[in-house]
Amino acid sequence: MQTKIEKITPESLREAKNLIDRGEVVAIPTETVYGLGGNAFDDNAVKKIFEVKGRPNDNPLIAHVHLDYDLLKIVDYDPPYAKKLREAFLPGPLTLVYPSKGKVSPFVSCGLDTLAVRVPAHEGAQAFLREVGIPIVAPSANLSRHVSPTSALHVYNDFAGKIPLILDGGECEGGIESTVCDCTGEVPTILRPGLVTREMIASVVGVCEVYTPDFKAGEKVKSPGVLYKHYAPKCRVKSFLRKEDALAYYASLDCSRAVLCENLETEFFRKAGCERVYDLGETPAQMATNLYGLLRKAEEECDELVVLEPREKEGVMQGVLNRLRKACASEDIKR
Ligand code: TXA
Ligand code: MG
């Protein structure tokens, strides 16, 4: 199969809709990362997404809808605090999990009785979702466990020959996947951190919890995606909290290598003679935007990436560090 990359135009949107109507999957831009989209009502399209990504079949998908889509067509209950969150943050990088109405394909939520719904802010994504008019399930458009894609070329590198069309909406500004927030309980609970932070959610509804799976208690996991090693580049990655340790390790390596650090520390490594120093950025938002592109650059240019963890740990950095630490993890957390 030939994989076309097309800018978003009325023609390419129509072509994308025709493909979706025929049960194909199409890559689409969003403001966070690119997604691999398919018709949420079509069992075969949903299965195809899992197949083409190599995604474990216990990791549910997010349904994407346009801003005016009637949510109650697909969700069973819409708690008042979820309405407040939608008004404050949507369209935008926030996915809300509701009790499902059971209307979309049962393969979407992998047996859970909930459904994750997201309204992306990216103009191209909104135009595509309006064109198709139905909920589109879309995981990040990377091979399972590889780094998420923030450009059409990243998608092409993972899926050339496997999908018919990539809609090219430019580089993703957000850079890390949406915040996933469970709205099935008394209070909102973050399942995956992202650009909409706990503080931002709490400022709108007064309270926000953060879910941490308790493996020892044998608790049923709320968001299976958190269990897997994710976002990993093909090169080795090792991370450090102290720059002196990162430098000593870098110097000890006998292979092609690079250092990844926040802007503030680049000078230290350059002065010490490191050949490749990747600048993650200055602000948390910049670091989110740059992270995945640099992880992909690292795998192209070197055998090992040495990471100095950024200092700031709060707010948006919770999401950035969550992804960075998973990229550095050596195996699944699952046991
Ligand atoms: O920014 C994003 O969210 C991107 C773009 C393409 O929209 N999508 C994305 O999808 O990151 P994916 O499939 O890579 O991650 C979906 C996450 C996983 O951690 C999954 O476990 C969780 O959402 N999730 C999906 N449905 C869920 C549900 N019903 N309950 C709990 N977690 C759910
Ligand atoms: Mg993903």
Side-chain angles (χ1 to χ4, degrees), residues 16-256:
K17 178 180 170 14
N18 286 338
L19 288 164
I20 292 288
D21 288 346
R22 285 200 312 243
E24 286 296 336
V25 297
V26 171
I28 56 166
T30 81
E31 74 280 18
T32 57
V33 300
Y34 276 73
L36 200 57
N39 179 350
F41 296 121
D42 179 343
D43 290 351
N44 288 327
V46 179
K47 281 196 239 170
K48 202 176 272 182
I49 291 175
F50 279 89
E51 259 164 43
V52 78
K53 258 188 82 98
R55 183 178 179 101
N57 62 10
D58 62 353
N59 192 4
L61 303 178
I62 298 171
H64 295 63
V65 296
H66 63 75
L67 193 54
D68 302 317
Y69 187 82
D70 178 7
L71 194 64
L72 289 169
K73 282 185 181 166
I74 49 174
V75 314
D76 208 27
Y77 175 63
D78 179 22
Y81 69 79
K83 184 163 188 277
K84 287 191 191 166
L85 292 177
R86 288 201 301 279
E87 279 167 7
F89 301 115
L90 301 192
L94 174 66
T95 294
L96 300 176
V97 177
Y98 304 86
S100 176
K101 205 167 206 164
K103 298 289 182 197
V104 300
S105 162
F107 297 105
V108 171
S109 292
C110 307
L112 299 172
D113 53 10
T114 54
L115 179 66
V117 184
R118 160 154 150 72
V119 182
H122 191 288
E123 263 181 39
Q126 279 293 316
F128 165 76
L129 291 167
R130 283 185 196 281
E131 180 83 24
V132 294
I134 50 168
I136 292 292
V137 280
S140 51
N142 51 281
L143 288 168
S144 189
R145 299 172 191 221
H146 192 212
V147 180
S148 293
T150 53
S151 72
L153 188 61
H154 291 163
V155 181
Y156 188 83
N157 288 342
D158 278 14
F159 293 111
K162 296 187 184 142
I163 60 172
L165 177 63
I166 301 169
L167 288 177
D168 183 354
E171 305 255 326
C172 302
E173 269 176 40
I176 59 171
E177 301 86 345
S178 62
T179 304
V180 178
C181 180
D182 182 65
C183 295
T184 62
E186 289 289 301
V187 297
T189 304
I190 290 183
L191 305 178
R192 176 175 74 180
L195 297 172
V196 176
T197 64
R198 174 197 191 144
E199 295 75 17
M200 288 159 73
I201 291 176
S203 77
V204 171
V205 296
V207 54
C208 177
E209 294 189 350
V210 176
Y211 173 69
T212 39
D214 183 356
F215 298 108
K216 286 193 202 95
E219 183 186 339
K220 192 166 182 264
V221 172
K222 279 196 184 161
S223 191
V226 299
L227 295 178
Y228 295 105
K229 177 178 174 172
H230 254 163
Y231 324 111
K234 289 171 195 144
C235 58
R236 291 185 299 278
V237 188
K238 195 164 165 66
S239 103
F240 294 87
L241 294 173
R242 295 180 60 239
K243 58 184 166 192
E244 294 77 13
D245 296 340
L247 179 61
Y249 184 72
Y250 182 97
S252 77
L253 288 175
D254 189 19
C255 61
S256 58

